[in-house]
């Protein structure tokens, strides 16, 4: 096996090709600067206990030093909580050329070409079993968060659903001006953080995200869904923890 690896490496060196290395994208959910444990506090101080949280991740790409993108094919429905937990949740795996990259980009959502297909005929993770399709409004739910909260002495069901082509969120992470932000060597993982607190950190306009107002407890579209889009856009970052074996992210301490 070692002889084969050495011959492959020699062939790559002589032909100018780049060896592929295993690449993985993982997700950590945080509550501020602490690990998320399932309870989320709104800007108004109300605590939501999470029952379900799922989101689609698609169009993953590593950004090369020259600014071009290297796509990592795949669409994943990331299921948070339960047996998956909220830390080091696998998002996507693939093989990419070993080397250095300036960043990673991905979408929260389903590509337009897939977003309006008949869910009853689609394989996982786009089938009806995923529970991420609006029957009354063609298109997928990109991020589905549900839970319960005590508001004014009563238990309220909370459903924060974001979808529609206009709310497909593109996230770009890394220092695009600095080469070597991400180094793919012998395989490993790039970990991204999702700060759950950011999702309920701001309401529409300048008002608070306050569950005593019914428009913040059942969100399926409209201005509050637009605000969720903006909130989630500021919720992602590259993990500040030490990178796993095979990955290095200098400049992000």
């Amino acid at each position: 096996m070692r002889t084969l690896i050495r011959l492959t490496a020699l062939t790559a060196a002589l032909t100018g090709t780049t060896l592929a290395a295993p690449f993985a994208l993982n997700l950590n959910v945080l509550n501020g600067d602490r690990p998320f444990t399932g309870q989320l506090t709104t800007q108004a101080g109300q605590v939501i206990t999470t029952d379900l949280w799922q989101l689609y991740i698609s169009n993953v790409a590593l950004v090369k030093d020259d600014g071009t993108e290297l796509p990592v094919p795949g669409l994943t429905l990331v299921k948070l909580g339960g047996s998956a937990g909220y830390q080091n949740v696998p998002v996507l795996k693939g093989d990419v050329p070993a080397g250095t990259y300036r960043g990673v980009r991905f979408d929260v959502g389903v590509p337009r070409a897939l977003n309006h297909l008949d869910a009853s005929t689609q394989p996982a993770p786009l089938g009806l079993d995923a529970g991420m399709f609006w029957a009354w409004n063609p298109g997928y739910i990109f991020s589905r968060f549900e839970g319960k909260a005590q508001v004014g002495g009563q238990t309220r069901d909370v459903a924060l659903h974001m979808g529609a082509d206009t709310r497909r969120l593109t996230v770009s992470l890394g220092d695009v001006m600095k080469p070597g932000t991400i180094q793919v060597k012998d395989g490993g993982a790039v970990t991204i953080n999702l700060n759950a607190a950011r999702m309920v950190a701001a309401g529409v306009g300048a008002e608070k995200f306050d569950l005593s107002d019914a428009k913040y407890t059942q969100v399926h579209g409209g201005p509050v869904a637009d605000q969720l889009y903006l909130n989630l856009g500021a919720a992602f970052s590259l993990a500040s923890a030490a990178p796993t074996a095979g990955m290095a992210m200098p400049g992000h301490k």
Side-chain angles (χ1 to χ4, degrees):
M1 179 61 71
R2 290 182 180 177
T3 301
L4 177 59
I5 292 174
R6 288 172 183 169
L7 288 174
T8 304
L10 177 60
T11 300
L14 292 175
T15 61
T17 58
T18 303
L19 291 174
F23 169 79
L25 186 67
N26 294 336
L27 177 67
N28 278 340
V29 186
L30 303 178
N31 191 6
D33 59 357
R34 298 181 179 182
F36 184 70
T37 59
Q39 290 193 320
L40 182 61
T41 303
T42 70
Q43 191 182 22
Q46 299 131 342
V47 177
I48 308 173
T49 300
T50 307
D51 292 331
L52 180 149
W53 195 0
Q54 301 183 156
L55 65 159
Y56 282 111
I57 300 292
S58 62
N59 291 331
V60 176
L62 289 170
V63 183
K64 300 179 184 180
D65 282 350
D66 62 3
T68 60
E69 295 186 1
L70 177 70
V72 184
L75 181 149
T76 305
L77 177 60
V78 182
K79 299 181 180 182
L80 302 170
S83 60
Y86 295 104
Q87 276 72 52
N88 291 317
V89 179
V91 175
L92 189 69
K93 292 183 178 180
D95 290 327
V96 302
T100 59
Y101 298 88
R102 294 194 180 189
V104 60
R105 293 177 184 167
F106 58 91
D107 288 352
V108 177
V110 175
R112 178 185 286 271
L114 301 175
N115 192 33
H116 302 285
L117 299 177
D118 183 353
S120 66
T121 65
Q122 299 309 305
L126 294 174
L128 292 177
D129 290 344
M132 296 289 283
F133 195 85
W134 282 307
W136 53 271
N137 181 25
Y140 286 89
I141 303 169
F142 297 162
S143 175
R144 178 183 175 184
F145 175 94
E146 296 175 359
K148 292 180 174 57
Q150 292 294 318
V151 181
Q154 296 182 334
T155 300
R156 291 198 178 183
D157 292 326
V158 178
L160 309 180
H161 297 174
M162 185 192 76
D165 291 324
T166 56
R167 301 189 191 99
R168 185 170 48 254
L169 178 65
T170 297
V171 180
S172 182
L173 303 176
D175 188 347
V176 296
M177 300 301 293
K178 184 176 180 180
T181 302
I182 298 172
Q183 297 177 12
V184 179
K185 297 179 180 178
D186 300 323
V190 168
T191 301
I192 53 176
N193 288 335
L194 169 55
N195 185 351
R198 292 283 183 90
M199 185 169 61
V200 291
V204 176
E207 68 185 21
K208 291 183 178 181
F209 199 107
D210 188 348
L211 299 178
S212 63
D213 186 337
K215 71 182 180 184
Y216 290 111
T217 61
Q218 297 295 312
V219 180
H220 305 284
V224 181
D226 292 337
Q227 187 64 49
L228 283 176
Y229 170 86
L230 296 175
N231 291 351
L232 282 171
F236 291 93
S237 64
L238 281 173
S240 58
T244 58
M247 303 301 302
M249 290 174 283
H252 292 265
K253 299 180 180 180

